[in-house]
Amino acid sequence: MDVLLVISHELKEDEHRRVQQMFANMNILAEHNFAAVSRHIRTNSYKFIVLLSFEDTLPPSWKVEDLKLETPVMILLKVNKLDLFVFYSFLDSVGLLSKSSAEAADKQQPPPLLYKSIEYIEENLCENELCLETVAASIFVSRCHYSRMFKEHFGIGFKEYIMNKRVQKAKVMLQEGIPVTDVCYAVGYGDLTHFGRVFKRLVGERPSDYRRKNARHGSHTA
């Protein structure tokens, strides 16, 4: 990979995995220790290096001038998630993100904006208004285009994906003994009958039966 993205913050394992998935054609180094960053840069060859911070400045110990690099370096400060997607698109548009022929032939990487839409879904999963149109609008694409893109890259339809995510959340709540009606509204359904049908189709039994069999001792009893 020709581009190195250095994030001046340590990331949790799942966070690092998500960032690497989003920016599959970049090498990601999330490291607060500047000595470790310096060693990595000096022992690897890159065409372009990006130093990124979510804060107003890089950490005080980061003496970038001491690296004395010939490689172009860009510093991005106070970055938010949308900035990352825009930046990635920019690098891709100017040809800095190389793709191996094997990778290109094997499968196309999901566009960064598609991952952005998944984050939007996660943040709004339990909102009754969540639908294909609102998610597509969140990344400024048409409903039909988003539906095709979603199915192509994830192998499942948008509606089925949402139902599965909501039912998984509902199962956890039912195991905690939370009443079925409360669970129904909490996971984004406005109709108890519809929620029951969806749950039974995916789980094989009614929510009330699942709750009765799986609720843990000491949890809600209503």
Side-chain angles (χ1 to χ4, degrees), residues 7-193:
I7 302 174
S8 64
H9 310 267
E10 293 183 359
L11 300 177
K12 296 178 181 178
E13 183 179 347
D14 61 325
E15 292 174 332
H16 192 283
R17 183 170 60 252
R18 289 172 64 190
V19 171
Q20 189 66 76
Q21 286 177 330
M22 290 178 191
F23 309 116
N25 297 314
M26 299 172 67
N27 194 46
I28 309 296
L29 177 62
E31 177 63 67
H32 186 76
N33 187 313
F34 185 66
V37 172
S38 179
R39 284 195 300 272
H40 179 89
I41 291 176
R42 293 181 186 282
T43 55
N44 293 275
S45 177
Y46 296 102
K47 290 182 179 179
F48 195 72
I49 296 174
V50 183
L51 305 180
L52 179 150
S53 175
F54 301 129
E55 308 297 337
D56 294 331
T57 63
L58 290 171
S61 61
W62 283 44
K63 306 299 182 183
V64 179
E65 61 276 9
D66 292 346
L67 292 174
K68 298 178 181 179
L69 297 172
E70 295 182 3
T71 303
V73 176
M74 177 182 287
I75 299 176
L76 299 178
L77 303 176
K78 205 172 183 179
V79 174
N80 59 39
K81 290 178 181 178
L82 181 57
D83 292 333
L84 283 177
F85 291 108
V86 173
F87 174 64
Y88 180 92
S89 298
F90 165 73
L91 292 180
D92 194 28
S93 69
V94 298
L96 281 171
L97 300 181
S98 62
K99 301 178 178 66
S100 68
S101 57
E103 176 189 24
D106 188 28
K107 73 171 185 177
Q108 182 182 0
Q109 291 291 335
L113 283 178
L114 190 54
Y115 282 110
K116 182 175 184 292
S117 77
I118 294 298
E119 289 193 344
Y120 180 88
I121 290 172
E122 291 296 329
E123 293 169 358
N124 297 275
L125 180 65
C126 298
E127 297 295 329
N128 187 251
E129 295 79 13
L130 182 69
C131 63
L132 183 63
E133 288 82 356
T134 58
V135 179
S138 75
I139 58 170
F140 309 105
V141 299
S142 72
R143 175 182 181 276
C144 293
H145 177 68
Y146 181 73
S147 179
R148 288 195 301 270
M149 183 169 59
F150 193 99
K151 183 66 177 292
E152 175 186 350
H153 287 289
F154 295 129
I156 184 174
F158 172 83
K159 184 177 179 180
E160 196 73 16
Y161 177 84
I162 297 299
M163 287 192 298
N164 275 281
K165 294 287 290 186
R166 285 177 168 175
V167 166
Q168 290 304 314
K169 185 174 182 63
K171 288 170 66 177
V172 172
M173 297 179 70
L174 292 169
Q175 290 168 15
E176 294 172 353
I178 298 174
V180 173
T181 300
D182 293 348
V183 172
C184 168
Y185 295 120
V187 299
Y189 287 99
D191 183 284
L192 189 60
T193 301

